[in-house]
Structure formats: structure tokens, C-alpha cells
């Protein structure tokens, strides 16, 4: 297992922002990211469309970035500068370990 300190940055955004976010992240990170389509219910649900209100959840894009400690602030600042959007939500988590199985 690798012991360098990493953090996982999670970004959740409206799906229509996918291409813009991916373009920014491709420029900013060399560690890569994972993008998945998700649906959820949380803060800001009052902005949901009719279909989403009936379903009880909104469609979103979730991006996971595994970053060396200290890089998340730079990535967040650049995303906010280039794509300020109140419906982009983020959080940061410590990564206890990481590695490859082969």
C-alpha cells in the first residue's frame, strides 16, 4: 500500500455542467477522476423540475478526484473562478490508504 497523504474531493453538479467541469478538471489534475451519474434528494430541492419532484430526487453528475494533500484548495478555487455555480456542491474526505492489487 502507498502511504502518501491523499484526499478525495467530491463534486456534485447538474448534469448539464458535465462537459465544462470535465474540461476544467482535465487541465487541472494529472491524477484523473471518476464521473458517474447519480440521483439524490437534499438541499436545494425546491429548484427541482416537475419530473424530479414526482420522482423525489434530482439527477446530478458526481465527480471523485483523488488528490495529494494540499491540491484540493487549488482545484476548488479554479473551478469556482471558471464555473461559478451555486448548484455545484463539494466535500473533502481523507484517504487512509490507496494502492493497486497487482
Amino acid at each position: 500500500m502507498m502511504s502518501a497523504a491523499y484526499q478525495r474531493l467530491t463534486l456534485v453538479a447538474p448534469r448539464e455542467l458535465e462537459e465544462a467541469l470535465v474540461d476544467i478538471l482535465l487541465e487541472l489534475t494529472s491524477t484523473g477522476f471518476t464521473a458517474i451519474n447519480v440521483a439524490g434528494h437534499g438541499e436545494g430541492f425546491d429548484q427541482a423540475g416537475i419530473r424530479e419532484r414526482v420522482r423525489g430526487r434530482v439527477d446530478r453528475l458526481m465527480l471523485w478526484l483523488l488528490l495529494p494533500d494540499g491540491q484540493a484548495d487549488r482545484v476548488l478555487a479554479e473551478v469556482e473562478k471558471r464555473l461559478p455555480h451555486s448548484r455545484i456542491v463539494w466535500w473533502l474526505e481523507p484517504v487512509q490508504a490507496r494502492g493497486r492489487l497487482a
Side-chain angles (χ1 to χ4, degrees):
M1 283 194 206
M2 302 176 119
S3 61
Y6 283 84
Q7 296 177 310
R8 182 172 74 178
L9 173 61
T10 301
L11 297 167
V12 179
R15 288 188 187 166
E16 63 265 18
L17 299 179
E18 180 174 6
E19 293 306 316
L21 268 172
V22 166
D23 288 346
I24 292 168
L25 296 176
L26 286 171
E27 288 180 36
L28 294 177
T29 69
S30 60
T31 57
F33 54 86
T34 300
I36 58 173
N37 290 320
V38 297
H41 184 97
E43 292 180 25
F45 192 73
D46 56 331
Q47 298 175 7
I50 294 170
R51 182 174 156 266
E52 293 170 327
R53 287 179 186 271
V54 169
R55 289 178 50 225
R57 57 196 182 277
V58 294
D59 294 325
R60 290 287 181 265
L61 171 71
M62 181 180 286
L63 296 141
W64 285 323
L65 294 85
L66 187 63
L67 300 169
D69 275 355
Q71 286 193 13
D73 289 341
R74 179 184 61 83
V75 171
L76 286 168
E78 194 63 26
V79 170
E80 184 176 23
K81 176 181 158 188
R82 294 164 73 177
L83 192 62
H85 199 290
S86 64
R87 292 173 64 200
I88 298 176
V89 177
W90 65 272
W91 60 89
L92 199 55
E93 301 169 77
V95 173
Q96 293 183 342
R98 66 178 287 269
R100 296 181 182 271
L101 296 178

